[in-house]
Amino acid sequence: MKLVLLTILLVALAAVLLGVRVLFVKGGRFPSHHGSCRHK
């Protein structure tokens, strides 16, 4: 049971950190594959 709670806590923490990161990224969008979308 402790393992399940720990897993849920880690997933929630990761989701919060991603949400905070998106707030600081310009435009509030995820970067697409590290710049591989730079097409001419």
Side-chain angles (χ1 to χ4, degrees):
M1 187 64 187
K2 289 183 180 180
L3 183 61
V4 174
L5 291 176
L6 182 62
T7 303
I8 292 172
L9 184 64
L10 288 174
V11 171
L13 181 62
V16 170
L17 290 176
L18 281 174
V20 170
R21 180 179 171 214
V22 170
L23 290 176
F24 288 108
V25 172
K26 292 182 179 179
R29 293 179 297 187
F30 286 103
S32 298
H33 304 293
H34 302 287
S36 64
C37 63
R38 295 179 184 173
H39 297 295
K40 292 183 179 180

